[in-house]
Amino acid sequence: MTKKWYLLVVLMLIGALTLAACGGGDTEEPADSGDDTTNGDTTMDDGDDHDDDDDHSDGDDHDDDLAGTVELWHAYGTGGAEEEAITAIVASIQEEHPELTINVLQIPFDQIFNKWETEVAAGSGPDMFIAPNDDLGNLSRSGLVLDITDLLDGKLENVVDTGVAGMMVDGQMYGVPESAKAVALYYNKSMVDTPPTTTDELLQAVEDGHILVQNQNGYHLFGFFPAFGGQILDDAGTTACSSGEEGFVKAMQYLVDLKEAGALYETDGGRADTLFRNGEVAMIINGPWTLGDYRADLGDDLGVAPIPGSMNPAGALNGIDGFYINPNTDNPELAVAVALELTDQESSQMYTDMAGHVPIRTDVTSDDPNVAAFAEASANGTPRPQSAAFGNYWGPFGDMVTKVLEGNVTPEEGVAEACGNFQAAIDG
Amino acid sequence: MAAIDKPSGPKAVAGSSWWEKTVDTRTAYAYLVPAFIVMAIITFYPLIYQVWMSFTDYGVRSLNPNSAVYLEPTWVGFQNYADIFSGRISNIMPNFDFWRLLAFNLLWTFSNVIFHVGIGILIAVVLNIHGLWFKGIYRSLYVLPMVIPSLVIAVVWRNMFDPDFGAINQGLNIIRDFAGLEPLRIRWIDETAPVIDFWGLLPLPMSFFAVLITNIWLGWPFMTIVATGALQSVPKDLYEAASIDGASWTQQFFNITLPMIRPAMVPAAMYGTILTFNQFNVIYFISGGGPLRQTEIMVTTAFRLVNEQREYGLAASFSVIIFFVLLGLTLLTNQVTRATESYDDA
């Protein structure tokens, strides 16, 4: 008898595991079914009968009556304010266009570009995805995002120039711009009354015990390089550290001084976030994508200011988020139309109000001073270069930041090595 | 059945056609065919395809010939191999040095296997003591590391190594507190200053010891299981005879136990070597190869070439190199330890 019971339990376990495995597979399904998401009967009404009762108050005159299925990938953090925003925006658009279905799939941020590249190169993938323009140069040069210059003609009149420029590579448009992204200085008003405006004031604030936590990498710390006169690449994209090494050395020396004064440097962004959100530290440099989450924890105590400058204003790397279209999509017109809906006045306003996105439309306003501070940070930022050469920045400078801040090398040694490796990589 | 029914006398040999020569083995081949077809499709074809890839500039756009962006891979000969050996891929992997990587990978492998086998045998011998209470409980406890998915193990250990909230630093500090010492804050993962640097040739940061500790914990139970099995087959009368002759406990261990369990332990150690050489999960999910790629091993580097750089051709060459390194290692161990020989042959 016992043997039979044993067998039964084992069989049930196997059955349960099999079912669980199948269940897991189902959630992956949309990623593989790129072929049947946009099938033949999806149409976009190009006729003359414009809907007069269009309550969607956008300035763009794209056609209504969107019908069909569009698959969208995003990389917003699970349960975060950005995810809530896109869910609400998609729901609102689908309500307005009952014939339209938008399937949304979340991909972890560190995997979204890889997955997109692989899927699209293999001939499938979703119709579109939203991400910063981190890799747009490479994606467009390899033909892994669709050139939509013609489809966007005359449809981005309410978008500021930097927004449009962020989606452009070699004069062609490869995405529909959504928002601007540059890091700025968050501070906790219960600890810091007036935010520091110069690097000296920031150092003084840290020395006075207002702890700053920094993400130790070449992205979050980028803004200090232009502040001290360091230019990472010349306009032609052929000379590394084109301003000479002095500005970088000064910036790194300053970051070391900050550390010695008590600033914390973390390689794990989650840890840095937690310290700030728990009120254990007074300041952090981070981007607008965390604004909604920080606001939830700190409420009115949350303040945002531009990163303090030195001889120049700090120039954080300014990225533009946008929707990119899959060259394999059966219906690029529909995908672009949906992307325009997702970035129209109403949607952008929702992104700004719910998730603190920095609008790049002239007709979106925010009375949140924190959003305004981010807008200022973006305006002063260094537009992210889309040249192939810039891709070689991350390795050498990421290593340099680690080595210098860990005290393995002096700022002079570190910068000389990083600029040398950066140049060698550019030269191939 | 045909092979048995058919008379295989001189008559069959006389005709020298293939059909008649294979009269005895024909059925055996027939039975092997289905398995061979499956093996050919799922094992041999990918293997050969990968070797071919390693001689091309295969990239992400070469994945699907029917794709709109398809780019046909071109034959580049030994270019990928030359780029790897000469360190020229440091353009996409800063500070890449093949020989340092290989040296680290070998050091990682051997330091692990020595601990696995040593601790494994020791614990097996201790648990084999006659009359020990609750043997069953200990023996089921030590299979735990083997049944928990290694990804889960890696994530748990990574959190345990956290400098502020991790169990390891907290545990150490409780002990230090008892001893009246100041609390320590060991940065297990992020510390870049090498603990040992072998004259600058092979710096070993703290994270090497973090992944080593984890993998030792992960690896010894398998060796204990093998050793326990081997110990059961050691005749008790050998120990009785030895103790009558006045042999001490250590003499018995080195002159009876070790030689008797060697035939079982050596193949297990070889298997452990190959497994540890390619121990992706522990390295990738605990140290992430960091800091500054100092704890990267070959298989994580190959993964990064595909996942981060989309260099399929280079990664394929890397895997072929890993194959030859492991082949060499196996042949060498086999030669040194005569693992596949039994005592009967000696």
Side-chain angles (χ1 to χ4, degrees), chain A residues 111 114 117-118 120-123 141-144 266-267 271 328 392 395-396 399 402-403 406 408 417 421 424-425 428, chain B residues 60-61 63-64 67-69 91 94-95 158 162-165 185 187 190-193 284 291-293 307-308 310 312:
Chain A
Q111 286 300 318
N114 285 339
E117 276 189 51
T118 314
V120 173
R141 280 186 288 273
S142 336
L144 298 174
E266 291 287 350
T267 52
R271 273 178 63 99
N328 300 315
N392 298 311
D399 280 9
T402 304
K403 285 183 191 170
E406 289 283 340
N408 301 139
E417 187 192 4
N421 287 346
Chain B
V60 69
R61 291 166 70 190
L63 286 171
N64 181 1
S67 155
V69 291
N91 282 348
N95 303 338
R158 159 125 213 164
D162 187 284
D164 296 310
F165 318 115
R185 185 176 183 270
R187 297 164 69 231
D190 289 336
E191 183 63 61
T192 53
Y284 191 79
L292 301 168
R293 284 169 296 283
N307 194 43
E308 291 167 9
R310 339 295 295 153
Y312 288 73

Side-chain angles (χ1 to χ4, degrees), chain A residues 36-45 66-69 99 330-331 334:
Chain A
D36 51 29
T37 47
T38 50
N39 40 36
D41 60 359
T42 56
T43 50
M44 211 196 102
D45 194 353
L66 304 176
T69 306
E99 300 287 295
D330 293 337
N331 198 341
L334 177 69

Side-chain angles (χ1 to χ4, degrees), chain B residues 1-9 23-24 27:
Chain B
M1 283 300 113
I4 298 167
D5 293 341
K6 262 219 162 118
S8 56
V23 71
D24 289 331
T27 330

Side-chain angles (χ1 to χ4, degrees), chain A residues 268, chain B residues 153-162 189 285-288:
Chain A
D268 179 347
Chain B
I153 288 172
V155 171
V156 169
W157 276 89
R158 159 125 213 164
N159 287 328
M160 292 199 341
F161 283 121
D162 187 284
I189 307 294
F285 291 107
I286 292 182
S287 76

